[in-house]
Amino acid sequence: MCRRYISLLLCFILIGTSLMASTHKKEKPTKKGILLVAFGTTVPSAKVALVNMYQKVEKAFPDTEIRWAYTSAFIRKKLKKQGEDIDSPIVAISKMADEGFTHIAVQSMHTIPGLEYEYLEQTVKSIMEIPKGPRKIEIGRPLLYAHEDIEVTVKAMIANFPERKKDEAMILMGHGTPHISNVFYPAMNYYFAEECEHVYMGTVEGYPSIEDVIAKLKLNGIKKAFMMPFMSVAGDHAKNDMCGEGEDSWYNMLTAAGIEVECIIKGTGEMNEVVSIWVEHLKDSFDKL
Ligand code: CO
């Protein structure tokens, strides 16, 4: 009698838990989404790069919903005043979670794994600790990450260089950062040197500086150079720091040093060869979802 009672009770518990499990599964059908994360820009002419990046991702993932988030609070605030509302990564992921996205591929559209990327990793880690959130989030690495990424990026950049004579240089303006990942910029000079002559990477806010670049150009007797940004968007830095009218713009500093310069205002997000590298990184992380 007593034994029969216990087995009946066990039976009820088993049925109960299996019912709970099945209703739980019914609540959350798998829904995959993509979130593209960039620093952002307020320069209208620079937005073409972000539009192009979006279109290339859309082409690679025609059946998946794709959204944007900007990491820069300053840019989001400025855009809001202009009537454009772009979410931060944490808000964008939270909204997606609320809308039932169970698996999210968060793609860093940054150039290096610097501060913005590190914050993104921390954001995702924190969100995963909140109950009833997405089941899985995978972060896609930025443009430069592993050795192979640098190799393909160098080739993609070279494909977008203008035709130049043997003694004409190509100057690239990287952003630069106080973060350890600034090493990618001087490293790029090494990788470029393996492929072609006279490519000089400088940075606005890190090492090498434009002074370092000018010293190298002089040492190599360069009289003429082309210059383009090594940033996803040709925004404020390209317009002002690179080719602006100010005395300390790279254009004017190079001209003062006796070097003839031609500016190319084009972000790497406008270069399909480069954008396809970000898309490949997104495919890698999407496959892991
Ligand atoms: Co900046």
Side-chain angles (χ1 to χ4, degrees), residues 31-224:
K31 188 176 173 187
K32 291 182 182 180
I34 291 170
L35 181 68
L36 305 179
V37 181
F39 185 75
T41 184
T42 56
V43 180
S45 60
K47 245 200 122 178
V48 288
L50 297 175
V51 171
N52 185 48
M53 287 165 129
Y54 185 92
Q55 285 170 346
K56 295 294 170 300
V57 172
E58 206 174 32
K59 214 174 162 193
F61 295 89
D63 304 317
T64 311
E65 193 169 327
I66 307 151
R67 299 186 182 183
W68 269 117
Y70 290 173
T71 49
S72 167
F74 171 78
I75 285 172
R76 289 196 312 269
K77 215 170 153 185
K78 216 172 156 189
L79 286 174
K80 201 165 186 175
K81 278 184 193 155
Q82 296 166 11
E84 197 181 347
D85 217 347
I86 309 262
D87 290 328
S88 64
I90 192 157
V91 172
I93 297 170
S94 304
K95 279 185 184 172
M96 289 176 89
D98 269 356
E99 289 169 41
F101 285 90
T102 54
H103 296 73
I104 309 168
V106 175
Q107 179 57 41
S108 158
M109 303 308 265
H110 301 105
T111 302
I112 53 161
L115 278 174
E116 302 290 321
Y117 182 75
E118 213 172 281
Y119 294 156
L120 188 61
E121 280 187 313
Q122 286 169 12
T123 302
V124 168
K125 206 173 155 221
S126 311
I127 279 187
M128 289 311 284
E129 280 166 15
I130 300 171
K132 295 187 179 179
R135 284 210 288 275
K136 201 168 184 191
I137 301 179
E138 279 290 335
I139 305 180
R141 59 196 195 276
L143 184 67
L144 306 179
Y145 198 85
H147 162 72
E148 292 76 17
D149 300 331
I150 314 177
E151 277 190 332
V152 289
T153 301
V154 160
K155 289 198 173 86
M157 288 302 293
I158 291 171
N160 285 278
F161 285 172
E163 215 168 293
R164 58 192 171 109
K165 295 190 188 110
K166 231 178 166 262
D167 56 347
E168 291 172 346
M170 190 67 226
I171 302 168
L172 296 172
M173 178 192 253
H175 193 278
T177 172
H179 189 269
I180 179 117
S181 63
N182 187 78
V183 291
F184 280 96
Y185 297 104
M188 285 292 275
N189 280 317
Y190 184 92
Y191 282 82
F192 272 116
E194 300 275 286
E195 294 295 324
C196 62
E197 269 191 313
H198 297 314
V199 181
Y200 303 85
M201 172 75 74
T203 65
V204 194
E205 291 172 25
Y207 172 81
S209 66
I210 182 59
E211 287 85 359
D212 297 324
V213 171
I214 291 173
K216 284 260 158 56
L217 294 169
K218 281 189 168 168
L219 197 72
N220 292 317
I222 302 291
K223 296 274 184 299
K224 194 187 167 188

